[in-house]
């Protein structure tokens, strides 16, 4: 049993209270420890991803208690890939927060940032549904503190709306867990996979209700229409580095759907037949369409980026809802793309905010550093809209190819292509207003010049753009690895046997004395 798998959870959990207790009034020390912690997370996550890349399942039993009685952490290709993606994203977001000074505009940014990482890492690595709920709550608490960082009435209102909506999801999650435990007597995911498969057709009512409730909970986390209302205001009003980190949080909902509905409630299971096709797929297509219409209709740049997140999650969920190895592989490729592109766009929007009076999409004098900012926006918009040659275009091709053999291929292709066109128009309109029409505005000679963004801010955004380019250049290798992940997900027997059959306390034979 390796102890490294618990490190992505323990490291930020220890760093956060240390920052609060020992470096509360020293922003320089907070920054140093926070950056060092994230770099260490990247190193650990890289090691775990390498260890599981050959198909190995890494198990950690807390206090050596065997499943299903004890708490277990499980690492496979999917979970370690998501942990590595989170750690890499966190580094560039943190550099931007430091460069722009966002971390110094309120109390406890770095401590809350580390607690947020703890919750995200735990959600990806846990092998137990109840502990998934626990890490969701850690996410909720830390994200609320980050969302209202630096204060403001608008930010506070958006934060309250965010918390209330997610508390509804938490309540539904508890109801679902109660139903599942009442039906099966366990909440360990590997053990649940065995027990759900043995439920007879006459005893499926309770487990059907639980499966639907879980899907609703994860749909709230993934901001699927019509459960998306919390996202536009929350992400638009949040500080830019926080909104950029939140780009991975909607992927936690997508991850949970992939994990639970390939292992516990797989597509061939009669108990939940039709749940993916008749519930999840229509909601995903509607999310994609509404998200891109929101991009076209947005009157503020930050809300435009927030609606693009909804649209990108719709694209991801369309591919997931197919529940085929090809569809899951396409979704995983697009998850990486949309996380990096969404985070980059939120940070670019803050670069615009720095050199402009407000975020309204109206013609104003040129922003400070407009040439570099415009270039970054151009690349980020191409990526999110799905234009060639960047990874958004390749990801959409993979999704279209995955849907080709389905009965709803015409609908999926029409919505994907139509929403892409709408998104292109929306981003083009925003770019022309922000950067092209700005040069037709006369600037008074006595006008106070707007400040230029810090160099470190540009470095952070440039790093995310470079990752997008790398994601495009190495698309074949990344998609190949995503295909192996999908194959492992649809053959969960090694995962289940590793978790359930590994000895520990209550399963070791008694020794003779």
């Amino acid at each position: 049993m390796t102890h490294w798998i618990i490190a992505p959870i323990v490291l930020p959990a220890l760093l956060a209270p240390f920052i609060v207790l020992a470096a509360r009034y020293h922003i320089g020390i907070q920054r140093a420890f926070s950056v060092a912690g994230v770099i260490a997370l990247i190193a650990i996550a890289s090691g775990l991803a390498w260890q599981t890349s050959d198909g190995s399942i890494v198990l950690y039993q807390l206090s050596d208690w065997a499943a299903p009685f004890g708490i277990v952490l499980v690492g496979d290709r999917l979970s370690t890939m998501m942990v590595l993606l989170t750690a890499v994203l966190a580094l560039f977001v943190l550099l931007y927060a430091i460069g722009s000074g966002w971390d110094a505009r309120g109390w406890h940014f770095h401590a809350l940032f580390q607690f947020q990482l703890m919750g995200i890492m735990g959600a990806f690595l846990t092998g137990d549904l109840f502990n998934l709920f626990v890490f969701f709550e850690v996410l909720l608490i830390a994200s609320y503190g980050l969302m209202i960082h630096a204060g403001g009435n608008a930010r506070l209102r958006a934060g309250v709306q965010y918390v209330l909506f997610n508390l509804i999801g938490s309540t539904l999650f508890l109801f679902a867990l109660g139903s599942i435990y009442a039906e099966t007597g366990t909440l360990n995911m590997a053990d649940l996979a065995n027990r759900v498969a043995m439920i007879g057709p006459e005893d499926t009512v309770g487990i059907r209700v639980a499966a639907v409730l879980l899907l609703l909970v994860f749909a709230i986390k993934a901001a699927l229409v019509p459960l998306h209302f919390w996202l536009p205001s929350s992400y638009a009003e949040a500080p830019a580095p926080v909104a950029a980190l939140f780009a991975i949080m909607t992927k936690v909902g997508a991850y949970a759907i992939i994990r639970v509905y390939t292992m516990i409630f797989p597509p061939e299971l009669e108990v939940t037949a039709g749940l993916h096709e008749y519930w999840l797929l229509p909601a995903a297509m509607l999310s994609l369409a509404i998200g891109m219409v929101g991009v076209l209709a947005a009157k503020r740049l930050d809300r435009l980026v927030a609606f693009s997140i909804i649209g990108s999650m719709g694209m991801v969920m369309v591919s997931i809802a197919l529940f085929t190895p090809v569809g899951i592989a396409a979704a995983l490729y697009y998850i990486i793309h949309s996380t990096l592109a969404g985070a980059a766009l939120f940070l670019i929007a803050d670069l615009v905010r720095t050199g402009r009076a407000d975020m309204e999409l109206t013609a104003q004098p040129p922003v400070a550093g407009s040439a570099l900012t415009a270039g970054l926006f151009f690349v980020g918009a191409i990526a999110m809209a799905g234009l060639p040659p960047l990874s958004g275009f390749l990801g959409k091709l993979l999704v279209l190819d995955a849907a080709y053999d389905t009965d709803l291929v015409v609908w999926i292709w029409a919505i994907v292509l139509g929403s892409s066109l709408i998104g292109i128009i929306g981003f083009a309109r925003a770019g022309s207003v922000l950067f092209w029409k700005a040069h037709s505005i006369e600037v008074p000679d006595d006008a106070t010049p707007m400040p230029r963004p810090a160099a470190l801010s540009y470095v952070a955004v440039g790093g995310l753009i470079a990752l997008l380019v790398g994601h495009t250049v190495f698309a074949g290798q990344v998609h190949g690895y995503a295909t192996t992940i999908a194959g492992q997900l649809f053959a969960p027997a090694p995962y289940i046997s590793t978790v359930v059959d590994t000895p520990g306390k209550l399963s070791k034979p008694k020794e003779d004395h």
Side-chain angles (χ1 to χ4, degrees):
M1 181 174 66
T2 177
H3 292 267
W4 283 109
I5 192 172
I6 199 173
I9 302 172
V10 171
L11 179 59
L14 293 178
L15 266 179
F18 173 81
I19 290 173
V20 172
L21 297 175
R24 182 175 182 180
Y25 301 107
H26 304 280
I27 188 66
I29 298 176
Q30 292 181 34
R31 290 171 172 175
F33 275 95
S34 194
V35 171
V38 171
I39 292 174
L41 276 180
I42 293 176
I44 295 168
S46 299
L48 290 173
W50 178 262
Q51 186 177 1
T52 59
S53 62
D54 61 353
S56 301
I57 308 296
V58 182
L59 176 69
Y60 185 80
Q61 300 169 330
L62 273 72
S63 299
D64 201 28
W65 285 94
F69 307 101
I71 298 172
V72 296
L73 302 176
V74 189
D76 62 354
R77 290 186 178 117
L78 174 61
S79 58
T80 54
M81 184 198 79
M82 297 302 295
V83 166
L84 180 58
L85 175 62
T86 303
V88 171
L89 174 67
L91 176 62
F92 291 103
V93 170
L94 192 57
L95 291 178
Y96 186 92
I98 294 171
S100 61
W102 266 111
D103 62 332
R105 300 184 192 182
W107 292 97
H108 308 308
F109 176 88
H110 290 282
L112 289 169
F113 191 89
Q114 295 297 326
F115 275 128
Q116 181 82 354
L117 290 180
M118 171 195 169
I120 296 173
M121 300 298 189
F124 289 142
L125 292 173
T126 184
D128 184 276
L129 281 180
F130 182 78
N131 288 293
L132 181 62
F133 166 78
V134 171
F135 286 117
F136 273 8
E137 296 311 294
V138 174
L139 283 176
L140 178 61
I141 295 170
S143 59
Y144 176 69
L146 287 172
M147 185 171 293
I148 62 174
H149 177 75
N153 291 332
R155 194 165 293 146
L156 182 61
R157 285 195 300 270
V160 170
Q161 176 187 359
Y162 167 80
V163 169
L164 290 177
F165 210 92
N166 279 273
L167 282 177
I168 294 173
S170 299
T171 304
L172 293 176
F173 204 168
L174 282 178
F175 288 158
L177 294 180
S179 301
I180 291 174
Y181 194 81
E183 293 292 325
T184 63
T186 184
L187 291 175
N188 180 276
M189 285 190 272
D191 196 34
L192 270 172
N194 289 331
R195 299 197 185 194
V196 170
M198 294 187 294
I199 296 177
E202 68 281 357
D203 300 318
T204 60
V205 175
I207 208 68
R208 281 177 180 269
V209 171
V212 172
L213 287 176
L214 279 180
L215 189 60
L216 288 175
V217 172
F218 300 149
I220 291 175
K221 300 297 181 183
L224 279 184
V225 174
L227 305 172
H228 70 293
F229 296 107
W230 60 273
L231 190 146
S233 296
S234 300
Y235 279 35
E237 297 296 341
V242 175
L245 182 63
F246 283 7
I248 194 68
M249 285 180 54
T250 50
K251 311 309 184 294
V252 176
Y255 166 85
I257 290 175
I258 293 173
R259 177 69 72 193
V260 170
Y261 293 90
T262 55
M263 181 184 299
I264 303 174
F265 305 113
E268 67 273 10
L269 188 68
E270 186 179 352
V271 172
T272 53
L275 189 61
H276 320 108
E277 182 179 359
Y278 300 118
W279 288 50
L280 188 58
L281 186 56
M285 291 191 290
L286 195 59
S287 299
L288 176 56
I290 289 180
M292 289 308 168
V293 169
V295 168
L296 181 61
K299 297 181 179 180
R300 291 172 53 92
L301 180 59
D302 46 9
R303 291 187 69 87
L304 179 147
V305 179
F307 273 104
S308 73
I309 295 293
I310 296 174
S312 69
M313 281 308 302
M315 182 72 70
V316 168
M317 296 309 300
V318 164
S319 194
I320 291 175
L322 301 176
F323 275 95
T324 61
V326 177
I328 296 297
L332 294 177
Y333 181 86
Y334 203 86
I335 280 174
I336 299 174
H337 156 78
S338 62
T339 300
L340 298 175
L345 281 172
F346 274 119
L347 298 184
I348 292 167
D350 194 63
L351 293 177
V352 175
R353 186 201 308 264
T354 302
R356 209 165 183 263
D358 53 48
M359 298 290 284
E360 298 293 331
L361 292 177
T362 55
Q364 297 181 21
V367 300
S370 59
L372 185 53
T373 303
L376 292 172
F377 178 83
F378 180 70
V379 177
I382 285 178
M384 185 59 83
L387 285 172
L390 292 181
S391 52
F393 175 72
L394 300 178
K396 288 186 178 181
L397 286 181
L398 292 173
V399 174
L400 293 175
D401 180 65
Y404 187 75
D405 294 326
T406 64
D407 295 335
L408 296 175
V409 58
V410 175
W411 282 99
I412 294 174
W413 277 51
I415 291 175
V416 169
L417 296 176
S419 63
S420 297
L421 177 60
I422 294 173
I424 291 169
I425 296 172
F427 277 107
R429 176 182 69 92
S432 65
V433 169
L434 290 172
F435 303 108
W436 181 38
K437 293 183 179 180
H439 291 282
S440 63
I441 304 297
E442 294 185 3
V443 182
D445 295 333
D446 58 347
T448 303
M450 299 297 290
R452 291 178 61 89
L456 186 57
S457 300
Y458 281 118
V459 169
V461 178
L464 291 174
I465 297 298
L467 288 175
L468 278 173
V469 174
H471 192 48
T472 306
V473 173
F474 297 100
Q477 293 87 334
V478 175
H479 181 253
Y481 190 67
T483 302
T484 62
I485 294 175
Q488 188 177 44
L489 289 169
F490 283 91
Y495 182 108
I496 295 171
S497 62
T498 298
V499 175
V500 176
D501 298 335
T502 300
K505 292 179 182 178
L506 294 186
S507 64
K508 294 179 179 178
K510 295 181 179 180
E511 298 179 0
D512 295 329
H513 296 283

